[in-house]
Amino acid sequence: DAGVIQSPRHEVTEMGQEVTLRCKPISGHNSLFWYRQTMMRGLELLIYFNNNVPIDDSGMPEDRFSAKMPNASFSTLKIQPSEPRDSAVYFCASSLTGPSNQPQHFGDGTRLSIL
Amino acid sequence: DAKTTQPNSMESNEEEPVHLPCNHSTISGTDYIHWYRQLPSQGPEYVIHGLTSNVNNRMASLAIAEDRKSSTLILHRATLRDAAVYYCILFPRGSTLGRLYFGRGTQLTVWP
């Protein structure tokens, strides 16, 4: 079975450019999560969708970040304009409906470098 | 959010058992205990979870103290592939929020 698929795996771009990260969750999963991992802050949740609806976006750092889930099989995380401090590894995860005993399945991440 | 405390690092030799401890003294009665691990250059991977009783699966065992204030993840025979950062996380039962709070975890080194 295919796991969570993220693209691109690596992205290097210049400050000020728009960056779009993509995620395809596991088929049948109805919860989707975007995380960011840095050495300083560790792994932190940015936003969480349930049935394509954003439930908790309190982790989104600022208005430069936006996330969408137009359908059950696709989500995007967009940064516009990008800044060097946005450099991190971004993970997407999915799970069945949000009850606490459902494990989250993570993709391999997008390593983002903003120059 | 209930906090967990884990050692920063642990070491083991290959094919030996590994006991990874986690303290969660402020755990509530409805918190599940989840363990994830993260191998180098990969996303976190679910390992196991439990509520009150000890749990076993193909990857590991989870031993939960009777007062639930601590738990131990047991790898019965460590392999080189088990070298990873292990995270112990509390998750409220019935929570409508999918928020997993990852701390710093325990970096496990496995020596050949």
Short mmCIF file of all heavy atoms in Angstrom, two decimals, chain B residues 30-90:
data_model
loop_
_atom_site.label_atom_id
_atom_site.label_comp_id
_atom_site.label_asym_id
_atom_site.label_seq_id
_atom_site.Cartn_x
_atom_site.Cartn_y
_atom_site.Cartn_z
N THR B 30 -7.55 9.67 31.06
CA THR B 30 -8.01 9.40 29.69
C THR B 30 -6.91 9.57 28.66
O THR B 30 -7.18 9.53 27.46
CB THR B 30 -9.18 10.33 29.33
OG1 THR B 30 -8.76 11.69 29.51
CG2 THR B 30 -10.39 10.04 30.20
N ASP B 31 -5.68 9.78 29.08
CA ASP B 31 -4.57 9.95 28.14
C ASP B 31 -4.04 8.60 27.67
O ASP B 31 -3.68 7.75 28.48
CB ASP B 31 -3.42 10.72 28.78
CG ASP B 31 -3.70 12.19 28.94
OD1 ASP B 31 -4.60 12.71 28.25
OD2 ASP B 31 -3.02 12.82 29.76
N TYR B 32 -3.97 8.45 26.34
CA TYR B 32 -3.25 7.32 25.78
C TYR B 32 -1.76 7.64 25.76
O TYR B 32 -1.35 8.80 25.67
CB TYR B 32 -3.70 7.06 24.34
CG TYR B 32 -4.97 6.26 24.20
CD1 TYR B 32 -6.21 6.88 24.23
CD2 TYR B 32 -4.92 4.88 24.05
CE1 TYR B 32 -7.38 6.14 24.11
CE2 TYR B 32 -6.07 4.13 23.92
CZ TYR B 32 -7.30 4.77 23.95
OH TYR B 32 -8.45 4.04 23.83
N ILE B 33 -0.95 6.60 25.83
CA ILE B 33 0.50 6.73 25.71
C ILE B 33 0.89 6.19 24.35
O ILE B 33 0.66 5.03 24.03
CB ILE B 33 1.22 5.92 26.81
CG1 ILE B 33 0.76 6.40 28.19
CG2 ILE B 33 2.74 6.05 26.67
CD1 ILE B 33 1.02 5.38 29.29
N HIS B 34 1.44 7.07 23.53
CA HIS B 34 1.87 6.70 22.18
C HIS B 34 3.39 6.75 22.10
O HIS B 34 4.02 7.62 22.70
CB HIS B 34 1.31 7.67 21.14
CG HIS B 34 -0.15 7.52 20.85
ND1 HIS B 34 -0.64 7.29 19.59
CD2 HIS B 34 -1.22 7.56 21.67
CE1 HIS B 34 -1.96 7.21 19.63
NE2 HIS B 34 -2.33 7.37 20.88
N TRP B 35 3.97 5.88 21.30
CA TRP B 35 5.39 5.94 20.98
C TRP B 35 5.56 5.99 19.46
O TRP B 35 4.92 5.22 18.72
CB TRP B 35 6.13 4.72 21.53
CG TRP B 35 6.38 4.77 23.00
CD1 TRP B 35 5.51 4.45 24.00
CD2 TRP B 35 7.60 5.15 23.65
NE1 TRP B 35 6.11 4.61 25.22
CE2 TRP B 35 7.39 5.04 25.04
CE3 TRP B 35 8.84 5.59 23.19
CZ2 TRP B 35 8.38 5.34 25.97
CZ3 TRP B 35 9.84 5.88 24.12
CH2 TRP B 35 9.60 5.76 25.49
N TYR B 36 6.39 6.91 19.06
CA TYR B 36 6.80 7.02 17.66
C TYR B 36 8.33 6.99 17.62
O TYR B 36 8.98 7.26 18.63
CB TYR B 36 6.33 8.34 17.05
CG TYR B 36 4.86 8.38 16.68
CD1 TYR B 36 3.88 8.47 17.66
CD2 TYR B 36 4.46 8.32 15.35
CE1 TYR B 36 2.54 8.50 17.32
CE2 TYR B 36 3.13 8.36 15.00
CZ TYR B 36 2.16 8.45 15.99
OH TYR B 36 0.84 8.47 15.64
N ARG B 37 8.88 6.68 16.47
CA ARG B 37 10.32 6.79 16.30
C ARG B 37 10.60 7.44 14.96
O ARG B 37 9.78 7.40 14.04
CB ARG B 37 11.00 5.43 16.39
CG ARG B 37 10.77 4.51 15.21
CD ARG B 37 11.50 3.21 15.41
NE ARG B 37 11.40 2.32 14.24
CZ ARG B 37 11.95 1.12 14.18
NH1 ARG B 37 12.63 0.64 15.23
NH2 ARG B 37 11.83 0.39 13.09
N GLN B 38 11.77 8.07 14.88
CA GLN B 38 12.16 8.74 13.64
C GLN B 38 13.56 8.30 13.26
O GLN B 38 14.52 8.62 13.96
CB GLN B 38 12.10 10.26 13.80
CG GLN B 38 12.33 11.01 12.51
CD GLN B 38 12.07 12.50 12.64
OE1 GLN B 38 12.04 13.05 13.74
NE2 GLN B 38 11.86 13.17 11.51
N LEU B 39 13.64 7.56 12.17
CA LEU B 39 14.93 7.16 11.63
C LEU B 39 15.55 8.34 10.89
O LEU B 39 14.84 9.26 10.46
CB LEU B 39 14.77 5.97 10.69
CG LEU B 39 14.66 4.59 11.34
CD1 LEU B 39 13.40 4.45 12.18
CD2 LEU B 39 14.71 3.48 10.31
N PRO B 40 16.86 8.33 10.70
CA PRO B 40 17.51 9.45 10.01
C PRO B 40 16.92 9.70 8.63
O PRO B 40 16.66 8.78 7.87
CB PRO B 40 18.98 8.97 9.90
CG PRO B 40 19.14 8.02 11.03
CD PRO B 40 17.82 7.33 11.18
N SER B 41 16.65 10.95 8.36
CA SER B 41 16.13 11.42 7.06
C SER B 41 14.77 10.84 6.71
O SER B 41 14.41 10.75 5.53
CB SER B 41 17.13 11.09 5.94
OG SER B 41 18.37 11.73 6.19
N GLN B 42 14.00 10.43 7.71
CA GLN B 42 12.66 9.93 7.46
C GLN B 42 11.65 10.62 8.37
O GLN B 42 12.03 11.28 9.35
CB GLN B 42 12.58 8.42 7.70
CG GLN B 42 13.39 7.60 6.71
CD GLN B 42 13.16 6.11 6.87
OE1 GLN B 42 12.12 5.68 7.36
NE2 GLN B 42 14.13 5.32 6.45
N GLY B 43 10.38 10.48 8.04
CA GLY B 43 9.35 10.99 8.91
C GLY B 43 9.15 10.08 10.11
O GLY B 43 9.56 8.92 10.10
N PRO B 44 8.53 10.59 11.17
CA PRO B 44 8.24 9.74 12.32
C PRO B 44 7.40 8.54 11.92
O PRO B 44 6.60 8.58 10.99
CB PRO B 44 7.46 10.67 13.26
CG PRO B 44 7.91 12.05 12.87
CD PRO B 44 8.11 11.97 11.39
N GLU B 45 7.59 7.47 12.67
CA GLU B 45 6.91 6.20 12.40
C GLU B 45 6.24 5.73 13.68
O GLU B 45 6.87 5.69 14.74
CB GLU B 45 7.96 5.18 11.93
CG GLU B 45 7.46 3.77 11.75
CD GLU B 45 8.61 2.80 11.46
OE1 GLU B 45 9.74 3.04 11.92
OE2 GLU B 45 8.35 1.79 10.78
N TYR B 46 4.97 5.39 13.58
CA TYR B 46 4.24 4.88 14.74
C TYR B 46 4.85 3.56 15.20
O TYR B 46 5.18 2.69 14.39
CB TYR B 46 2.77 4.69 14.37
CG TYR B 46 1.97 3.88 15.36
CD1 TYR B 46 1.51 4.45 16.54
CD2 TYR B 46 1.69 2.53 15.12
CE1 TYR B 46 0.77 3.70 17.45
CE2 TYR B 46 0.96 1.79 16.02
CZ TYR B 46 0.50 2.37 17.18
OH TYR B 46 -0.21 1.62 18.08
N VAL B 47 4.99 3.42 16.51
CA VAL B 47 5.53 2.17 17.06
C VAL B 47 4.45 1.39 17.81
O VAL B 47 4.16 0.24 17.49
CB VAL B 47 6.73 2.45 18.01
CG1 VAL B 47 7.24 1.14 18.60
CG2 VAL B 47 7.84 3.17 17.26
N ILE B 48 3.84 2.04 18.80
CA ILE B 48 2.90 1.32 19.65
C ILE B 48 2.14 2.31 20.50
O ILE B 48 2.57 3.46 20.65
CB ILE B 48 3.67 0.30 20.53
CG1 ILE B 48 2.77 -0.81 21.08
CG2 ILE B 48 4.42 1.02 21.65
CD1 ILE B 48 3.56 -1.97 21.68
N HIS B 49 1.01 1.92 21.04
CA HIS B 49 0.32 2.77 22.00
C HIS B 49 -0.46 1.91 22.98
O HIS B 49 -0.77 0.74 22.69
CB HIS B 49 -0.60 3.79 21.31
CG HIS B 49 -1.89 3.23 20.78
ND1 HIS B 49 -1.97 2.61 19.55
CD2 HIS B 49 -3.12 3.17 21.32
CE1 HIS B 49 -3.21 2.22 19.34
NE2 HIS B 49 -3.93 2.53 20.40
N GLY B 50 -0.81 2.51 24.12
CA GLY B 50 -1.59 1.79 25.12
C GLY B 50 -2.25 2.76 26.08
O GLY B 50 -1.96 3.95 26.09
N LEU B 51 -3.15 2.22 26.88
CA LEU B 51 -3.88 3.04 27.86
C LEU B 51 -3.54 2.62 29.29
O LEU B 51 -3.05 3.41 30.07
CB LEU B 51 -5.38 2.94 27.62
CG LEU B 51 -6.26 3.84 28.48
CD1 LEU B 51 -5.96 5.30 28.21
CD2 LEU B 51 -7.74 3.53 28.24
N THR B 52 -3.80 1.36 29.62
CA THR B 52 -3.53 0.88 30.97
C THR B 52 -2.76 -0.43 30.97
O THR B 52 -1.85 -0.62 31.77
CB THR B 52 -4.83 0.68 31.75
OG1 THR B 52 -5.68 -0.22 31.01
CG2 THR B 52 -5.57 2.00 31.97
N SER B 53 -3.12 -1.31 30.07
CA SER B 53 -2.50 -2.63 30.05
C SER B 53 -1.25 -2.63 29.18
O SER B 53 -1.11 -1.83 28.26
CB SER B 53 -3.48 -3.67 29.49
OG SER B 53 -4.67 -3.68 30.25
N ASN B 54 -0.35 -3.55 29.49
CA ASN B 54 0.82 -3.72 28.64
C ASN B 54 0.39 -4.16 27.25
O ASN B 54 -0.63 -4.84 27.07
CB ASN B 54 1.78 -4.73 29.27
CG ASN B 54 2.36 -4.24 30.57
OD1 ASN B 54 2.30 -3.05 30.89
ND2 ASN B 54 2.92 -5.16 31.35
N VAL B 55 1.16 -3.77 26.25
CA VAL B 55 0.80 -4.03 24.86
C VAL B 55 2.00 -4.62 24.14
O VAL B 55 3.15 -4.25 24.42
CB VAL B 55 0.37 -2.72 24.15
CG1 VAL B 55 -0.08 -3.01 22.73
CG2 VAL B 55 -0.73 -2.01 24.93
N ASN B 56 1.72 -5.51 23.22
CA ASN B 56 2.78 -6.09 22.38
C ASN B 56 2.37 -5.99 20.92
O ASN B 56 1.21 -6.15 20.58
CB ASN B 56 3.00 -7.57 22.72
CG ASN B 56 3.41 -7.78 24.16
OD1 ASN B 56 4.47 -7.35 24.57
ND2 ASN B 56 2.55 -8.44 24.91
N ASN B 57 3.33 -5.71 20.07
CA ASN B 57 3.11 -5.85 18.64
C ASN B 57 4.40 -6.34 18.01
O ASN B 57 5.38 -6.66 18.72
CB ASN B 57 2.57 -4.57 18.00
CG ASN B 57 3.56 -3.41 18.02
OD1 ASN B 57 4.77 -3.60 18.15
ND2 ASN B 57 3.04 -2.22 17.88
N ARG B 58 4.42 -6.38 16.68
CA ARG B 58 5.58 -6.98 16.01
C ARG B 58 6.84 -6.13 16.19
O ARG B 58 7.96 -6.62 16.02
CB ARG B 58 5.29 -7.18 14.53
CG ARG B 58 5.06 -5.91 13.76
CD ARG B 58 4.89 -6.16 12.27
NE ARG B 58 4.65 -4.90 11.55
CZ ARG B 58 5.61 -4.06 11.20
NH1 ARG B 58 6.87 -4.34 11.50
NH2 ARG B 58 5.33 -2.95 10.57
N MET B 59 6.68 -4.87 16.50
CA MET B 59 7.84 -3.99 16.61
C MET B 59 8.41 -3.94 18.02
O MET B 59 9.63 -3.84 18.20
CB MET B 59 7.48 -2.57 16.17
CG MET B 59 7.18 -2.41 14.70
SD MET B 59 6.77 -0.70 14.30
CE MET B 59 8.34 0.11 14.55
N ALA B 60 7.52 -3.91 19.01
CA ALA B 60 7.98 -3.64 20.37
C ALA B 60 6.92 -4.05 21.38
O ALA B 60 5.82 -4.49 21.02
CB ALA B 60 8.28 -2.15 20.52
N SER B 61 7.27 -3.85 22.65
CA SER B 61 6.32 -4.02 23.74
C SER B 61 6.26 -2.73 24.53
O SER B 61 7.26 -1.98 24.60
CB SER B 61 6.75 -5.16 24.67
OG SER B 61 6.71 -6.39 24.00
N LEU B 62 5.11 -2.46 25.10
CA LEU B 62 4.93 -1.27 25.93
C LEU B 62 4.50 -1.73 27.31
O LEU B 62 3.46 -2.38 27.45
CB LEU B 62 3.87 -0.35 25.32
CG LEU B 62 3.49 0.89 26.14
CD1 LEU B 62 4.72 1.79 26.36
CD2 LEU B 62 2.39 1.69 25.44
N ALA B 63 5.32 -1.38 28.30
CA ALA B 63 5.01 -1.71 29.68
C ALA B 63 4.58 -0.42 30.38
O ALA B 63 5.32 0.56 30.38
CB ALA B 63 6.23 -2.31 30.37
N ILE B 64 3.38 -0.44 30.97
CA ILE B 64 2.82 0.74 31.61
C ILE B 64 2.76 0.49 33.11
O ILE B 64 2.21 -0.53 33.54
CB ILE B 64 1.42 1.05 31.05
CG1 ILE B 64 1.51 1.28 29.54
CG2 ILE B 64 0.81 2.27 31.74
CD1 ILE B 64 0.16 1.42 28.85
N ALA B 65 3.30 1.42 33.88
CA ALA B 65 3.29 1.28 35.33
C ALA B 65 1.85 1.26 35.84
O ALA B 65 0.95 1.81 35.23
CB ALA B 65 4.06 2.42 35.97
N GLU B 66 1.67 0.64 36.99
CA GLU B 66 0.32 0.49 37.55
C GLU B 66 -0.32 1.85 37.81
O GLU B 66 -1.53 2.03 37.59
CB GLU B 66 0.39 -0.31 38.85
CG GLU B 66 -0.96 -0.84 39.31
CD GLU B 66 -0.82 -1.86 40.43
OE1 GLU B 66 0.22 -2.55 40.50
OE2 GLU B 66 -1.76 -1.94 41.24
N ASP B 67 0.46 2.82 38.25
CA ASP B 67 -0.09 4.17 38.49
C ASP B 67 -0.08 5.03 37.23
O ASP B 67 -0.50 6.19 37.27
CB ASP B 67 0.68 4.87 39.62
CG ASP B 67 2.14 5.12 39.27
OD1 ASP B 67 2.54 4.84 38.12
OD2 ASP B 67 2.89 5.58 40.14
N ARG B 68 0.39 4.48 36.13
CA ARG B 68 0.44 5.12 34.81
C ARG B 68 1.32 6.37 34.77
O ARG B 68 1.28 7.10 33.81
CB ARG B 68 -0.97 5.48 34.32
CG ARG B 68 -1.88 4.30 34.18
CD ARG B 68 -2.99 4.41 33.17
NE ARG B 68 -3.48 5.75 32.94
CZ ARG B 68 -3.49 6.32 31.74
NH1 ARG B 68 -3.02 5.69 30.69
NH2 ARG B 68 -3.98 7.53 31.59
N LYS B 69 2.13 6.58 35.77
CA LYS B 69 2.98 7.76 35.77
C LYS B 69 4.28 7.52 35.00
O LYS B 69 5.09 8.44 34.83
CB LYS B 69 3.30 8.20 37.20
CG LYS B 69 2.06 8.71 37.95
CD LYS B 69 2.42 9.20 39.32
CE LYS B 69 1.19 9.62 40.12
NZ LYS B 69 0.43 10.71 39.48
N SER B 70 4.48 6.35 34.53
CA SER B 70 5.65 6.07 33.70
C SER B 70 5.35 4.89 32.78
O SER B 70 4.41 4.12 33.03
CB SER B 70 6.88 5.77 34.56
OG SER B 70 6.68 4.57 35.28
N SER B 71 6.15 4.78 31.74
CA SER B 71 6.02 3.65 30.83
C SER B 71 7.40 3.34 30.25
O SER B 71 8.32 4.18 30.32
CB SER B 71 5.01 3.92 29.71
OG SER B 71 5.40 5.03 28.92
N THR B 72 7.52 2.15 29.69
CA THR B 72 8.79 1.73 29.11
C THR B 72 8.52 1.06 27.76
O THR B 72 7.68 0.16 27.66
CB THR B 72 9.51 0.72 30.02
OG1 THR B 72 9.72 1.33 31.29
CG2 THR B 72 10.85 0.32 29.42
N LEU B 73 9.22 1.53 26.76
CA LEU B 73 9.18 0.88 25.46
C LEU B 73 10.30 -0.15 25.42
O LEU B 73 11.44 0.16 25.72
CB LEU B 73 9.38 1.90 24.33
CG LEU B 73 9.36 1.32 22.92
CD1 LEU B 73 7.95 0.86 22.55
CD2 LEU B 73 9.88 2.32 21.90
N ILE B 74 9.95 -1.36 25.07
CA ILE B 74 10.92 -2.46 25.08
C ILE B 74 11.13 -2.96 23.66
O ILE B 74 10.19 -3.40 23.00
CB ILE B 74 10.44 -3.61 25.98
CG1 ILE B 74 10.19 -3.10 27.40
CG2 ILE B 74 11.46 -4.75 25.98
CD1 ILE B 74 9.44 -4.07 28.27
N LEU B 75 12.38 -2.88 23.21
CA LEU B 75 12.80 -3.52 21.96
C LEU B 75 13.50 -4.80 22.38
O LEU B 75 14.53 -4.75 23.05
CB LEU B 75 13.73 -2.61 21.17
CG LEU B 75 13.24 -1.18 20.90
CD1 LEU B 75 14.30 -0.40 20.12
CD2 LEU B 75 11.93 -1.21 20.14
N HIS B 76 12.97 -5.92 21.99
CA HIS B 76 13.45 -7.19 22.56
C HIS B 76 14.85 -7.57 22.08
O HIS B 76 15.64 -8.13 22.82
CB HIS B 76 12.44 -8.29 22.26
CG HIS B 76 11.13 -8.05 22.95
ND1 HIS B 76 10.96 -8.26 24.30
CD2 HIS B 76 9.95 -7.58 22.49
CE1 HIS B 76 9.72 -7.94 24.64
NE2 HIS B 76 9.08 -7.53 23.56
N ARG B 77 15.15 -7.27 20.83
CA ARG B 77 16.48 -7.52 20.28
C ARG B 77 16.82 -6.38 19.34
O ARG B 77 16.33 -6.31 18.23
CB ARG B 77 16.54 -8.85 19.53
CG ARG B 77 16.42 -10.07 20.40
CD ARG B 77 16.59 -11.33 19.57
NE ARG B 77 17.94 -11.45 19.03
CZ ARG B 77 18.28 -12.28 18.06
NH1 ARG B 77 17.37 -13.04 17.50
NH2 ARG B 77 19.53 -12.34 17.62
N ALA B 78 17.64 -5.46 19.82
CA ALA B 78 17.95 -4.29 19.01
C ALA B 78 18.72 -4.67 17.75
O ALA B 78 19.61 -5.54 17.79
CB ALA B 78 18.77 -3.31 19.84
N THR B 79 18.38 -4.01 16.67
CA THR B 79 19.14 -4.15 15.43
C THR B 79 19.67 -2.78 15.05
O THR B 79 19.24 -1.75 15.60
CB THR B 79 18.26 -4.67 14.28
OG1 THR B 79 17.30 -3.66 13.93
CG2 THR B 79 17.52 -5.95 14.69
N LEU B 80 20.58 -2.75 14.11
CA LEU B 80 21.15 -1.47 13.68
C LEU B 80 20.05 -0.55 13.14
O LEU B 80 20.13 0.67 13.24
CB LEU B 80 22.23 -1.69 12.62
CG LEU B 80 23.45 -2.49 13.09
CD1 LEU B 80 24.45 -2.67 11.96
CD2 LEU B 80 24.13 -1.80 14.28
N ARG B 81 19.00 -1.17 12.56
CA ARG B 81 17.93 -0.38 12.00
C ARG B 81 17.07 0.30 13.06
O ARG B 81 16.29 1.19 12.76
CB ARG B 81 17.04 -1.26 11.12
CG ARG B 81 16.12 -0.46 10.21
CD ARG B 81 15.07 -1.34 9.54
NE ARG B 81 14.12 -0.53 8.77
CZ ARG B 81 13.10 0.09 9.29
NH1 ARG B 81 12.85 0.00 10.59
NH2 ARG B 81 12.29 0.82 8.56
N ASP B 82 17.23 -0.13 14.30
CA ASP B 82 16.46 0.49 15.39
C ASP B 82 17.09 1.79 15.88
O ASP B 82 16.52 2.45 16.76
CB ASP B 82 16.33 -0.49 16.57
CG ASP B 82 15.44 -1.68 16.24
OD1 ASP B 82 14.43 -1.48 15.53
OD2 ASP B 82 15.77 -2.80 16.70
N ALA B 83 18.25 2.14 15.38
CA ALA B 83 18.88 3.41 15.76
C ALA B 83 18.01 4.56 15.24
O ALA B 83 17.81 4.72 14.04
CB ALA B 83 20.28 3.51 15.17
N ALA B 84 17.47 5.34 16.18
CA ALA B 84 16.49 6.36 15.83
C ALA B 84 16.25 7.24 17.05
O ALA B 84 16.74 6.97 18.13
CB ALA B 84 15.17 5.72 15.38
N VAL B 85 15.45 8.29 16.85
CA VAL B 85 14.96 9.07 17.98
C VAL B 85 13.57 8.54 18.34
O VAL B 85 12.71 8.40 17.47
CB VAL B 85 14.86 10.58 17.64
CG1 VAL B 85 14.30 11.36 18.83
CG2 VAL B 85 16.24 11.11 17.25
N TYR B 86 13.38 8.20 19.60
CA TYR B 86 12.12 7.64 20.06
C TYR B 86 11.35 8.68 20.88
O TYR B 86 11.90 9.27 21.81
CB TYR B 86 12.38 6.39 20.91
CG TYR B 86 12.81 5.21 20.08
CD1 TYR B 86 14.12 5.10 19.61
CD2 TYR B 86 11.90 4.22 19.71
CE1 TYR B 86 14.52 4.04 18.80
CE2 TYR B 86 12.28 3.15 18.91
CZ TYR B 86 13.59 3.08 18.46
OH TYR B 86 13.97 2.02 17.66
N TYR B 87 10.10 8.89 20.50
CA TYR B 87 9.26 9.89 21.14
C TYR B 87 8.13 9.21 21.93
O TYR B 87 7.43 8.35 21.42
CB TYR B 87 8.62 10.80 20.10
CG TYR B 87 9.58 11.61 19.27
CD1 TYR B 87 9.96 11.18 18.00
CD2 TYR B 87 10.09 12.82 19.72
CE1 TYR B 87 10.82 11.92 17.21
CE2 TYR B 87 10.96 13.57 18.95
CZ TYR B 87 11.32 13.12 17.69
OH TYR B 87 12.18 13.86 16.92
N CYS B 88 7.96 9.66 23.15
CA CYS B 88 6.86 9.22 24.00
C CYS B 88 5.86 10.37 24.07
O CYS B 88 6.25 11.50 24.42
CB CYS B 88 7.41 8.87 25.39
SG CYS B 88 6.17 8.60 26.67
N ILE B 89 4.61 10.13 23.73
CA ILE B 89 3.63 11.20 23.57
C ILE B 89 2.33 10.82 24.27
O ILE B 89 1.89 9.66 24.16
CB ILE B 89 3.35 11.44 22.07
CG1 ILE B 89 4.64 11.81 21.32
CG2 ILE B 89 2.30 12.53 21.88
CD1 ILE B 89 4.52 11.65 19.82
N LEU B 90 1.72 11.77 24.95
CA LEU B 90 0.41 11.55 25.55
C LEU B 90 -0.67 12.14 24.65
O LEU B 90 -0.51 13.23 24.12
CB LEU B 90 0.33 12.18 26.94
CG LEU B 90 1.34 11.66 27.96
CD1 LEU B 90 1.09 12.31 29.31
CD2 LEU B 90 1.30 10.15 28.07
#
